[in-house]
């Protein structure tokens, strides 16, 4: 079959130039957006995507022929990177292995990753300065198959209530699917296991307040199919989820998009796409722009975890990781 992707394009990204090969290759068949459209989308939200990824180890989800084709989960930086693309080394002691992952510091890093067919960006919740000390607590409201988005919204309201009582600022975003993510910036002085333990204590409190909606049963197959799982496991070491402003690898080009708390009741996650988010970003800017200024300490949540343990609440099993 003849290659109809056209000649390469060059994009000026700040003080750098990134070459985009096969710019006319259709990546998102629902509306026909191309690889070049994807790059231009990420340029349009440059401040936001860099803030979400800055100095974090980042796993890439690559789609060499577009989102209808093969999906490649890639921890290690693809070969052929310009000298200005930085990496951060993360280690996997159980396997005696390591990976040098993309470490974004400049918008051109993101556009180069698009050139390498990256659609989704999945960063760690720690940074290069100390990859073993998370600075981001992630609350993932994960609906089971028969749960509705209205149920997700209701649980988000309970989560917001608990965060307010703790004095923590939560920064919500759509997941790119049917769920909702809430990020909280934390002091980088706890281990992954401690952050996960604090997140589990928070999830138990949300479950106490919404027992008809939330099910924290460990095995997915055993949960109520109409429930929401407050997924504390997203804070385990090397667990990653789509960043703010990351596109999802689906034909519609849906975007994991920051939203205000007062938008949650009316916002439809399907409306946030690479076709609509640029204008929203131009109007509102990055709704997560203040996240680094709202740092929370986990001490009270860890006290909750200790209290729950004294009262007989079991600890979740250790969540083992595999190296892709």
């Amino acid at each position: 079959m003849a290659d109809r992707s056209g000649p390469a394009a060059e994009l000026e990204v700040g003080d750098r130039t990134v070459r985009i090969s096969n710019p006319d290759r259709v990546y998102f068949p629902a509306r026909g957006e191309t690889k070049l459209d994807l790059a231009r989308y990420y340029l349009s939200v440059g401040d936001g995507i860099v803030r979400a990824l800055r100095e974090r180890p980042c796993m890439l989800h690559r789609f060499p022929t577009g989102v209808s084709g093969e999906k490649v989960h890639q921890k290690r930086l693809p070969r052929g990177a310009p000298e200005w693309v930085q990496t951060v080394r993360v280690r996997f002691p159980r396997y005696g292995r390591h990976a040098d992952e993309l470490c974004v510091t400049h918008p051109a890093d993101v556009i180069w990753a698009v050139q390498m067919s990256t659609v989704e960006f999945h960063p760690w919740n720690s940074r290069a300065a100390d990859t073993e000390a998370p600075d981001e607590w992630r609350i993932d409201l994960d609906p089971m198959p028969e749960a509705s988005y209205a149920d997700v919204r209701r649980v988000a309201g309970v989560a917001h209530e608990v965060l307010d009582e703790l004095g923590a600022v939560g920064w919500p975003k759509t997941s790119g699917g049917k769920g909702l993510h809430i990020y909280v910036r934390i002091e980088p002085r706890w281990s992954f296991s401690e952050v996960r333990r604090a997140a589990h204590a928070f999830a138990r409190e949300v479950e106490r307040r919404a027992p008809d909606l939330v099910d924290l049963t460990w095995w997915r197959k055993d949960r109520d199919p109409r429930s929401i799982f407050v997924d504390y496991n997203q804070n385990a070491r090397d667990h990653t989820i789509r960043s703010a402003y990351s596109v999802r690898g689906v034909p519609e080009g849906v975007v994991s998009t920051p939203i205000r708390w007062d938008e949650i009741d009316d916002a439809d996650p399907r409306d946030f796409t690479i076709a609509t988010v640029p204008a929203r970003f131009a109007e509102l800017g990055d709704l997560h722009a203040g996240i680094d200024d709202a740092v929370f300490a986990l001490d009270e949540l860890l006290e909750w975890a200790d209290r729950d343990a004294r009262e007989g609440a079991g600890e979740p099993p250790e969540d083992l990781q595999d190296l892709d």
Side-chain angles (χ1 to χ4, degrees):
M1 180 180 295
D3 184 354
R4 301 182 184 277
S5 298
E10 288 192 345
L11 294 178
E12 300 299 321
V13 187
D15 57 349
R16 296 170 185 165
T17 301
V18 182
R19 181 179 182 274
I20 304 294
S21 62
N22 303 315
D24 298 327
R25 176 172 289 158
V26 173
Y27 265 47
F28 303 97
R31 289 181 306 273
E33 287 102 343
T34 64
K35 184 179 182 182
L36 184 58
D37 291 327
L38 177 64
R40 286 173 172 158
Y41 159 74
Y42 278 119
L43 278 178
S44 76
V45 296
D47 289 347
I49 188 67
V50 170
R51 181 173 289 107
L53 301 178
R54 184 179 295 281
E55 298 181 351
R56 301 186 184 281
C58 187
M59 185 169 73
L60 309 176
H61 288 196
R62 300 172 55 231
F63 296 80
T65 61
V67 301
S68 299
E70 178 190 11
K71 180 179 183 179
V72 179
H73 293 217
Q74 185 148 357
K75 291 182 184 288
R76 295 172 178 83
L77 188 76
R79 294 181 180 179
E83 61 180 12
W84 40 260
V85 173
Q86 298 183 33
T87 62
V88 55
R89 178 162 293 188
V90 291
R91 300 183 184 280
F92 304 92
R94 191 179 328 118
Y95 305 98
R97 299 170 69 183
H98 66 266
D100 294 321
E101 300 194 11
L102 174 68
C103 184
V104 168
T105 60
H106 189 287
D109 304 333
V110 176
I111 304 308
W112 178 81
V114 172
Q115 156 58 15
M116 301 305 292
S117 70
T118 301
V119 173
E120 300 187 12
F121 293 85
H122 289 239
W124 283 43
N125 60 338
S126 62
R127 302 201 199 222
D130 187 349
T131 59
E132 299 304 315
D135 74 337
E136 193 164 77
W137 161 30
R138 296 171 175 176
I139 303 163
D140 178 10
L141 306 185
D142 181 13
M144 295 300 101
E146 296 177 24
S148 69
Y149 190 64
D151 295 329
V152 174
R153 290 173 171 137
R154 291 168 63 196
V155 175
V158 177
H160 192 194
E161 175 184 274
V162 178
L163 289 171
D164 279 351
E165 292 175 13
L166 285 165
V169 179
W171 303 83
K173 68 181 182 71
T174 62
S175 68
K178 297 180 180 179
L180 194 73
H181 300 156
I182 305 163
Y183 286 1
V184 179
R185 184 66 77 244
I186 60 174
E187 299 173 10
R189 60 183 176 94
W190 293 277
S191 67
F192 287 101
S193 60
E194 289 171 318
V195 175
R196 179 172 176 255
R197 188 167 185 258
H200 188 215
F202 175 86
R204 278 194 296 248
E205 181 60 25
V206 174
E207 184 182 37
R208 288 186 191 100
R209 300 189 188 197
D212 58 327
L213 289 171
V214 176
D215 187 346
L216 298 184
T217 302
W218 174 252
W219 295 110
R220 187 179 183 90
K221 64 181 178 60
D222 295 333
R223 292 180 206 139
D224 183 339
R226 299 161 298 177
S227 70
I228 308 299
F229 182 53
V230 182
D231 191 357
Y232 50 89
N233 290 314
Q234 298 298 355
N235 298 281
R237 188 181 189 276
D238 192 32
H239 261 219
T240 61
I241 51 181
R242 277 176 225 100
S243 74
Y245 301 105
S246 174
V247 182
R248 185 181 176 202
V250 294
E252 297 78 15
V254 178
V255 173
S256 181
T257 306
I259 58 176
R260 299 187 307 266
W261 284 106
D262 63 7
E263 291 183 288
I264 288 177
D265 284 346
D266 298 317
D268 186 333
R270 295 170 296 184
D271 292 340
F272 300 117
T273 71
I274 64 171
T276 63
V277 170
R280 173 182 171 87
F281 191 90
E283 178 184 356
L284 301 177
D286 180 12
L287 294 181
H288 285 189
I291 191 169
D292 290 318
D293 300 321
V295 182
F296 176 67
L298 293 177
D299 302 86
E300 185 171 357
L301 279 175
L302 290 169
E303 290 172 5
W304 288 9
D306 291 339
R307 174 204 64 197
D308 291 346
R310 289 193 299 269
E311 294 175 356
E315 296 287 339
E318 286 300 317
D319 194 34
L320 303 180
Q321 300 297 306
D322 292 320
L323 178 64
D324 289 343

